[in-house]
């Protein structure tokens, strides 16, 4: 996939991959920023946290954009 986030300095190629992984019965998700978030007890909990994480990142980007005006 070819894409660029507003915060990226230059366009790049991003490959889709499974971001949720299970280790010893606990679930984690990885971010584009290279962090590993978790542990969570179920995949459903992890998926919910992924959605919340994305929402927080978008809100942060919006606030930074407003602050930069």
């Amino acid at each position: 996939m070819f894409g660029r986030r507003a915060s990226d300095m230059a366009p790049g190629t991003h490959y889709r991959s499974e971001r949720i992984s299970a280790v010893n019965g606990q679930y984690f998700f990885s971010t584009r920023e290279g962090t590993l978030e978790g542990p969570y007890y179920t995949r459903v909990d992890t998926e919910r946290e992924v959605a919340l994480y994305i929402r927080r990142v978008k809100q942060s980007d919006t606030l930074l954009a407003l602050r930069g005006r």
Side-chain angles (χ1 to χ4, degrees):
M1 177 181 165
F2 184 76
R4 181 175 162 198
R5 293 179 287 177
S7 62
D8 289 341
M9 298 305 282
T13 302
H14 302 280
Y15 298 96
R16 298 266 182 214
S17 65
E18 181 61 39
R19 294 189 186 265
I20 296 176
S21 57
V23 178
N24 294 329
Q26 296 179 319
Y27 291 86
F28 299 84
F29 69 91
S30 60
T31 67
R32 283 185 174 178
E33 293 74 26
T35 64
L36 190 62
E37 306 292 322
Y40 303 100
Y41 295 107
T42 67
R43 186 174 180 92
V44 171
D45 290 341
T46 309
E47 290 170 351
R48 182 185 65 240
E49 292 299 323
V50 168
L52 292 171
Y53 178 86
I54 292 168
R55 191 170 98 194
R56 285 192 307 269
V57 169
K58 285 182 178 182
Q59 286 175 338
S60 175
D61 289 345
T62 300
L63 290 173
L64 289 172
L66 291 174
R67 190 174 190 201
R69 285 192 205 178

